[in-house]
Amino acid sequence: ADGSWADRVKVSEQTEKTSIPGILQVRRFAERGPSGKFRADMIYQHGQGFEQQGQLDFASALYQAALNLTPAEDVYWRGLAAAQLSTAHFDAARDSYARAQQINPLSAEYAIGLARTYQGGSAAQQLILAAQFYAEALRLRPADSALQAAWLKAQTLAAQVAQ
């Protein structure tokens, strides 16, 4: 209550408006706070909080700040990709999921994310790509029935659109 910002980001009472002092505090923290992976993890966790509040643009900015510090962290790319996908930035989400997948090719989650970026399209080629990414995820998690259903749905839609 002394008016200092300490280690918190202050937001206004309105959920869609972030205060400028809060943004500046995050910037100061990123520039002068703890170093390396620890700092990146803290920034990423702040981003998760904003994502849960529905402030996806601010969450994306924080995920990007974490990636600037530790670009080889696939989880940060996943967070950024999920926020981008939620705001219909499909091309950016594809790029972010692809980066995560390059870092950790054994995670089915990134292939699933890539499939979802194509699944909303109406072009046959997009639906075919969605089915291919679901198939890739199935190779990594063959017993996942929900994933099998998503793959089958993408295959069926691609066939219907192609006709």
Side-chain angles (χ1 to χ4, degrees):
D2 64 357
S4 68
W5 287 89
D7 64 349
R8 293 185 168 74
V9 176
K10 183 177 181 181
V11 294
S12 71
E13 296 300 317
Q14 299 173 345
T15 59
E16 62 276 341
K17 181 180 174 189
T18 303
S19 68
I20 296 300
I23 294 169
L24 295 176
Q25 179 62 20
V26 169
R27 184 175 295 145
R28 280 194 299 274
F29 179 79
E31 292 168 357
R32 297 188 293 247
S35 63
K37 176 90 167 83
F38 178 72
R39 181 175 13 162
D41 281 343
M42 292 181 73
I43 292 170
Y44 175 77
Q45 289 172 4
H46 280 295
Q48 287 180 308
F50 283 104
E51 185 174 1
Q52 289 169 357
Q53 294 174 11
Q55 296 184 25
L56 299 174
D57 289 334
F58 196 55
S60 292
L62 289 171
Y63 294 148
Q64 190 61 58
L67 283 163
N68 290 340
L69 295 169
T70 314
E73 187 63 46
D74 60 309
V75 175
Y76 300 169
W77 285 107
R78 181 199 63 213
L80 179 61
Q84 292 166 329
L85 185 58
S86 294
T87 56
H89 293 103
F90 298 113
D91 291 336
R94 281 182 202 119
D95 292 343
S96 296
Y97 276 124
R99 289 289 300 270
Q101 190 177 44
Q102 287 173 346
I103 296 165
N104 184 359
L106 299 178
S107 175
E109 186 174 353
Y110 307 138
I112 294 167
L114 283 163
R116 288 180 179 153
T117 67
Y118 288 106
Q119 195 169 11
S122 59
Q125 185 60 32
Q126 287 183 311
L127 295 170
I128 290 168
L129 286 169
Q132 289 173 349
F133 281 114
Y134 279 127
E136 184 178 331
L138 272 172
R139 283 191 292 279
L140 297 167
R141 288 196 331 221
D144 188 328
S145 61
L147 192 50
Q148 291 171 357
W151 171 76
L152 185 58
K153 179 180 178 182
Q155 287 278 74
T156 304
L157 288 173
Q160 289 173 350
V161 170
Q163 291 180 357

